[in-house]
């Protein structure tokens, strides 16, 4: 089974901590996990994913960087071919719904 976790970023926050904990535990159970973030955050305080979890940044450049962002997301989805898409918070939920339509 392959799980595709979609979240805005992995900067410090409660949702981000939950994403990392969930992804790490799923990977420890033998499930293939890709954590896909809209933005790439390079802070010393971001949470660490285990080695078994692949992190993919869509490198969104800002609020209005939508065309390139959606094209990259569709490409990553096609390459990953996940069984489950698990999104967190309203922005990621909306993006997941739009991509799956």
């Amino acid at each position: 089974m392959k799980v595709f976790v979609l979240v805005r970023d992995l900067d410090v926050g409660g949702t981000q901590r939950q994403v990392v904990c969930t992804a790490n535990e799923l990977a420890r159970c033998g499930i293939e996990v890709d954590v896909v973030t809209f933005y790439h955050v390079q802070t010393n305080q971001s949470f660490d994913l285990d080695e078994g979890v692949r992190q993919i940044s869509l490198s969104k450049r800002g609020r209005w960087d939508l065309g390139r962002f959606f094209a990259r997301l569709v490409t990553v989805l096609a390459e990953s071919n996940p069984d489950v898409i698990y999104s967190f918070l309203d922005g990621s939920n909306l993006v997941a719904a739009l991509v799956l339509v």
Side-chain angles (χ1 to χ4, degrees):
M1 174 177 273
K2 185 162 194 177
V3 177
F4 191 90
V5 180
L6 188 61
V7 67
R8 184 180 187 276
D9 60 49
L10 287 179
D11 201 1
V12 176
T15 299
Q16 291 82 354
R17 182 169 190 259
Q18 187 63 43
V19 167
V20 170
C21 288
T22 301
N24 288 342
E25 284 302 315
L26 288 170
R28 288 178 194 137
C29 291
I31 297 171
E32 191 175 346
V33 182
D34 290 344
V35 174
V36 181
T37 59
F38 294 3
Y39 298 97
H40 184 71
V41 176
Q42 294 180 348
T43 66
N44 294 340
Q45 298 182 23
S46 63
F47 298 107
D48 292 325
L49 294 165
D50 288 351
E51 288 183 22
V53 179
R54 186 171 75 150
Q55 181 182 358
I56 302 167
S57 173
L58 299 175
S59 301
K60 194 165 186 275
R61 295 180 184 159
R63 173 179 282 176
W64 303 113
D65 182 21
L66 298 174
R68 193 181 71 80
F69 166 74
F70 275 106
R72 175 89 169 113
L73 178 59
V74 168
T75 301
V76 168
L77 265 172
E79 290 171 357
S80 180
N81 195 23
D83 298 305
V84 176
I85 297 177
Y86 188 17
S87 60
F88 285 80
L89 296 177
D90 54 350
S92 299
N93 291 341
L94 179 61
V95 168
L98 290 172
V99 170
L100 294 174
V101 170

